[in-house]
Amino acid sequence: MMKKFSYFLVLSVVLFQTGSAQKDISAISIKIRQQIFEEISEQELLKNTVAYLPLIKGDGSWPDIDYTNTAITKWPPGQHLERVKSLAVAFVKEGSVYNTNSSVWDAVVKALSFWYRANPKSQNWWHNEIATPQSLGEIMLLMQSATRPLPADLQHNLVQRMKQGNVFEKTGANKLDIALHIIYRACITNDAALMDTAVSQAFYPIAYTTGEGLQYDYSYLQHGAQLQISSYGLVFLSGEYKVASWMQGTAYALKGEQLKLLNQYFLHSFLPAIRGRYIDFNTEGRGISRKDILDKAGLAVPGKINSLLEMAKAVSPENAALIDAAMQRISQQQLPGYGLISKHTHFWKADYTQHIRPAYSFNVRTVSDRTKRTETGNKENLSGKFLADGSTNIQRSGKEYFNIMPLWEWDKIPGITARDFADDQLTTVQWGETGSTGFVGGVSDNLFGASCYEMNYNGVSVKKAWFFFDKEVVCLGAGISSNADENIITSINQSWLNGKIVASENDKTVSIKKENNYAALQWLWHDSIGYYFPSPQNITVTNKTQTGSWFKINGSGLKETTEGKVFKLWLNHGVKPADSSYSYIVVPGVSTDEMAKYKRDEISIIVNTDSVQAVQHCGLKQLQIVFYKAGTVTGKDMKVKADKPCVILLSLSANTITVADPYQKSSELVVTIKKQDAEKKIICQLPGGNFSGSSVSFKIE
């Protein structure tokens, strides 16, 4: 009797668990269909059906699609499945004028049958292993809810065809993308075991890694150690929040530490990279060469359940206030600085710095022998050779660089020091070139910081540093040397022209037309951003129409010539400079009157050599130092000595010293501070392992 009772007990538990799993899968399927329905408006649905339905041929193909094309990007056969998906929505969606229409059902079946027979392939694995099985899965999930389902043999064949890509071998966003179509397959086949595997693999990338994916500094790296906070990082975010929104209320729900990690990356790494509705161009990888890529308005559509911000809020309602503020900025219901909190972050794993203020964003992209330069691949980002050489993204409205890339002079990317070539240089190393120097990093106390980049690339060497305060960023360069035949320049900015350019030389203020060269410029102002020059330097500013094409920087881009007026400002260091230097201060969010009255006496550039660079801000009571080797800096009323290379932020107002090791090798740093007759020696134990290069703070007397 006991054995029989145990048998029925186990059977009851199994049946209950099975029934519960089937109920969860059904609920997940409904949520997926709801999101698919929302992707296509009623007007677009009607327009697509009217356009596609009459043109489909008897064999299920469309005459305007080349099914033999194997293109790497913009693969033409992919349009076939997009059209079938639209027709499937028209057939199954309640309220659609084509709901249950037999002609539409015939077209869907014929088109899917043709696809199975033709089996088109791209040279790009992504289309074959991700895009195609995802599209097939979505179409079959739609038809699963139809009053007239797909023929069983056709569905079986297509389900088998979906089995593409090895989810266990892939990493980061690619793993997630494959897991997505396995989730679709689990829903179609009502397979609870497969759903278990799919969901665990989908959420697997939400973890710290030293490989590709989410890093210990909350940056995102893909294709090796390459900055991808947007691009692959956005694919990761969108996919994870999408799956998490499907799984809510089921046994598969995302929770605990993984949910915290996902929210941390979204709220404190990704969202701060967006100013207004436009993201920092440094975060897009090779996608920087794609038209409209910087515009992220589609991520924040209020009330749209499959927009990223709405999904994030649904998954973590406790973050609603932060997400709603971002929603209003990105949808332009509020100004770009609305709800922003001042913060400073250096991502020591990615060689990237974010400096965020309500009035502006100033971010810096560098590269070390631990990371990779911005990649070229699939004929994209053909001219981005110097993107990682200290490029500065300076934004007020956010649109300063939107779609300017075809017109850019790519050896004058904002912030970089480079040779001034006659023509743009092609990026020759595919999929990311490893940096060439080790002393690259930054210090941060979460509000202020300093970053440095020891550059030795393409025949140019320079020590570059940025010192970040509230109202301004001080930019220094030293040890500029080159044996190249070209003039060596440091680009200060290259953005869309927006209004007048005003300059002051010898205390005379003038408006700039076309092009001007200066030897003793005091300050310059354009588009609410001021540029102050502490010492005489050879400066060029232009206000000209520049031309280009998307095709020139992206082999799949439009060939038509595009043009526009560009503001360009740079420093000239001459041909074959030896130990040259530069200094300038960027002051965002000022008027010309305010620039003329700018309190330059609060900023003191203490030293700018190839051994040490230091800036003191008297108003904030801060001293920020980059020691390229052991040495001493004498500031106002104090001396600071370091026994090895490091970056230091000394805050007298907070009585703290914050330090970091850009080499990411030292375990200990000794700093000695002498003020008047008092001397303090601080033995700083530096973080190791996955936190090597990160900042650590110490209290001082």
Side-chain angles (χ1 to χ4, degrees):
M1 180 68 71
M2 182 60 71
K3 288 183 179 179
K4 187 177 293 187
F5 174 77
S6 300
Y7 169 78
F8 282 116
L9 179 62
V10 172
L11 180 61
S12 298
V13 171
V14 170
L15 289 173
F16 174 79
Q17 291 176 339
T18 302
S20 178
Q22 303 309 323
K23 185 178 178 181
D24 283 347
I25 290 174
S26 177
I28 292 165
S29 299
I30 291 170
K31 289 180 180 179
I32 295 172
R33 282 193 287 270
Q34 287 174 338
Q35 287 196 353
I36 295 173
F37 289 153
E38 196 179 67
E39 291 174 4
I40 307 176
S41 68
E42 294 296 334
Q43 296 84 352
E44 187 181 3
L45 191 62
L46 182 60
K47 178 183 175 183
N48 289 349
T49 308
V50 170
Y52 304 150
L53 191 58
L55 296 179
I56 192 167
K57 295 165 65 177
D59 64 354
S61 66
W62 275 279
D64 60 327
I65 296 178
D66 177 10
Y67 294 94
T68 64
N69 192 301
T70 61
I72 295 173
T73 59
K74 295 185 177 180
W75 183 49
Q79 298 173 39
H80 180 97
L81 293 180
E82 291 174 11
R83 295 178 184 183
V84 180
K85 178 180 171 181
S86 184
L87 292 176
V89 171
F91 182 73
V92 302
K93 188 176 182 181
E94 290 185 11
S96 164
V97 296
Y98 288 96
N99 180 236
T100 72
N101 184 292
S102 60
S103 296
V104 176
W105 187 89
D106 288 339
V108 170
V109 172
K110 283 194 301 184
L112 289 176
S113 298
F114 172 82
W115 184 270
Y116 181 74
R117 293 193 307 272
N119 196 19
K121 291 289 178 65
S122 167
Q123 293 181 56
N124 186 342
W125 73 271
W126 183 87
H127 290 288
N128 305 326
E129 297 183 17
I130 291 177
T132 292
Q134 281 189 5
S135 295
L136 288 173
E138 289 176 341
I139 294 166
M140 284 188 280
L141 263 175
L142 287 167
M143 296 303 291
Q144 193 177 50
S145 68
T147 53
R148 188 181 178 188
L150 292 174
D153 59 339
L154 176 60
Q155 177 165 299
H156 173 78
N157 290 338
L158 292 173
V159 166
Q160 297 305 308
R161 186 62 56 80
M162 283 179 67
K163 296 178 181 179
Q164 303 292 327
N166 190 325
V167 71
F168 302 103
E169 290 182 353
K170 296 297 183 183
T171 59
N174 291 328
K175 175 188 282 287
L176 171 60
D177 266 339
I178 294 173
L180 278 174
H181 65 71
I182 299 177
I183 290 173
Y184 295 156
R185 186 153 52 89
C187 287
I188 295 163
T189 59
N190 208 21
D191 189 331
L194 185 61
M195 182 64 78
D196 285 338
T197 299
V199 174
S200 67
Q201 288 300 302
F203 290 154
Y204 185 90
I206 310 176
Y208 296 122
T209 180
T210 56
E212 295 186 336
L214 185 61
Q215 304 297 304
Y216 283 83
D217 61 356
Y218 291 102
S219 64
Y220 196 89
L221 306 182
Q222 191 93 25
H223 287 187
Q226 184 180 165
L227 179 67
Q228 307 274 13
I229 281 180
S230 191
S231 55
Y232 288 94
L234 177 53
V235 172
F236 163 74
L237 275 176
S238 298
E240 295 295 2
Y241 277 121
K242 180 183 289 187
V243 175
S245 69
W246 296 340
M247 303 302 153
Q248 266 191 306
T250 74
Y252 305 104
L254 180 66
K255 52 187 179 294
E257 189 62 27
Q258 282 189 305
L259 182 57
K260 290 180 183 178
L261 287 177
L262 183 64
N263 288 334
Q264 176 73 18
Y265 173 65
F266 172 63
L267 294 171
H268 302 292
S269 299
F270 178 79
L271 283 183
I274 302 175
R275 180 83 188 172
R277 64 190 280 183
Y278 305 101
I279 202 162
D280 177 0
F281 61 79
N282 283 307
T283 66
E284 283 295 346
R286 70 182 191 275
I288 191 176
S289 62
R290 301 172 191 167
K291 190 174 186 291
D292 298 333
I293 193 69
L294 301 184
D295 186 355
K296 301 304 179 186
L299 302 181
V301 183
K304 190 173 182 181
I305 61 172
N306 63 349
S307 68
L308 175 61
L309 271 69
E310 286 287 9
M311 290 191 296
K313 187 166 64 171
V315 171
S316 297
E318 69 277 11
N319 296 321
L322 286 173
I323 295 172
D324 283 340
M327 182 90 71
Q328 293 182 66
R329 293 194 302 270
I330 298 172
S331 63
Q332 297 188 309
Q333 297 177 43
Q334 293 285 351
L335 294 174
Y338 175 76
L340 280 179
I341 299 171
S342 294
K343 66 189 291 286
H344 181 91
T345 307
H346 178 71
F347 298 89
W348 68 91
K349 288 288 188 181
D351 294 330
Y352 173 61
T353 301
Q354 285 180 349
H355 186 67
I356 310 299
R357 293 295 184 267
Y360 68 96
S361 298
F362 192 118
N363 306 331
V364 181
R365 165 87 157 102
T366 57
V367 63
S368 68
D369 55 15
R370 303 176 296 272
T371 58
K372 292 195 173 202
R373 294 176 167 273
T374 310
E375 68 188 3
T376 184
N378 293 342
K379 300 181 180 178
E380 296 186 297
N381 189 34
L382 298 175
S383 301
K385 187 179 181 73
F386 308 118
L387 266 168
D389 286 321
S391 56
T392 55
N393 177 86
I394 311 170
Q395 292 176 292
R396 287 261 299 132
S397 68
K399 62 183 179 182
E400 288 83 356
Y401 307 106
F402 177 56
N403 282 345
I404 198 174
M405 284 72 204
L407 311 186
W408 255 357
E409 190 175 348
W410 285 76
D411 55 18
K412 292 187 178 67
I413 294 167
I416 71 168
T417 300
R419 295 154 66 178
D420 190 357
F421 292 98
D423 299 300
D424 290 333
Q425 302 297 291
L426 292 178
T427 308
T428 53
V429 179
Q430 296 276 305
W431 306 113
E433 178 183 3
T434 301
S436 54
T437 59
F439 194 84
V440 182
V443 68
S444 170
D445 66 359
N446 299 319
L447 189 58
F448 303 99
S451 294
C452 60
Y453 173 41
E454 182 178 12
M455 172 183 150
N456 187 0
Y457 183 66
N458 199 49
V460 181
S461 59
V462 58
K463 309 284 181 64
K464 297 174 71 73
W466 300 265
F467 303 86
F468 300 90
F469 303 104
D470 267 328
K471 297 179 181 178
E472 60 273 293
V473 178
V474 180
C475 308
L476 300 183
I480 304 171
S481 302
S482 177
N483 288 319
D485 294 331
E486 293 83 11
N487 175 41
I488 306 303
I489 64 94
T490 293
S491 176
I492 298 175
N493 211 344
Q494 185 178 191
S495 63
W496 289 114
L497 180 71
N498 186 25
K500 61 183 179 180
I501 303 172
V502 178
S504 176
E505 185 178 35
N506 299 321
D507 295 321
K508 292 181 179 179
T509 302
V510 296
S511 293
I512 292 177
K513 309 291 183 184
K514 298 288 184 182
E515 180 173 349
N516 288 77
N517 296 294
Y518 296 95
L521 193 64
Q522 293 164 296
W523 58 264
L524 183 140
W525 179 94
H526 168 252
D527 196 13
S528 78
I529 300 174
Y531 307 87
Y532 173 64
F533 302 97
S535 60
Q537 296 168 82
N538 293 319
I539 299 170
T540 302
V541 57
T542 63
N543 159 16
K544 293 181 178 180
T545 297
Q546 295 183 191
T547 61
S549 72
W550 288 100
F551 179 75
K552 185 178 179 182
I553 62 174
N554 187 323
S556 298
L558 297 171
K559 294 184 178 181
E560 290 82 356
T561 298
T562 182
E563 65 176 33
K565 285 200 169 183
V566 175
F567 162 70
K568 200 159 51 181
L569 176 65
W570 71 91
L571 303 165
N572 298 289
H573 307 299
V575 176
K576 298 184 178 178
D579 201 27
S580 182
S581 64
Y582 68 79
S583 61
Y584 63 93
I585 304 173
V586 181
V587 191
V590 293
S591 65
T592 51
D593 289 341
E594 289 170 326
M595 194 60 198
K597 300 173 184 176
Y598 173 61
K599 291 184 179 180
R600 60 201 70 173
D601 56 334
E602 283 194 338
I603 298 286
S604 178
I605 298 174
I606 303 298
V607 61
N608 183 25
T609 69
D610 65 352
S611 298
V612 61
Q613 294 165 312
V615 176
Q616 191 159 1
H617 194 297
C618 298
L620 294 173
K621 297 182 179 179
Q622 282 187 27
L623 177 60
Q624 299 182 9
I625 311 169
V626 178
F627 283 107
Y628 293 93
K629 60 183 181 180
T632 302
V633 166
T634 302
K636 294 184 178 181
D637 302 325
M638 75 179 73
K639 286 185 178 181
V640 179
K641 179 182 178 181
D643 73 334
K644 57 177 64 70
C646 62
V647 190
I648 292 175
L649 191 164
L650 177 62
S651 174
L652 296 179
S653 59
N655 289 325
T656 58
I657 182 172
T658 306
V659 300
D661 170 25
Y663 278 128
Q664 301 191 10
K665 293 179 179 179
S666 298
S667 59
E668 184 180 279
L669 170 69
V670 179
V671 179
T672 304
I673 303 171
K674 186 174 183 180
K675 188 172 183 181
Q676 296 176 347
D677 294 329
E679 184 174 285
K680 176 76 173 181
K681 181 179 288 188
I682 304 168
I683 300 175
C684 307
Q685 300 300 320
L686 298 176
N690 293 314
F691 293 90
S692 295
S694 65
S695 299
V696 59
S697 296
F698 301 88
K699 272 290 184 182
I700 56 175
E701 296 297 330

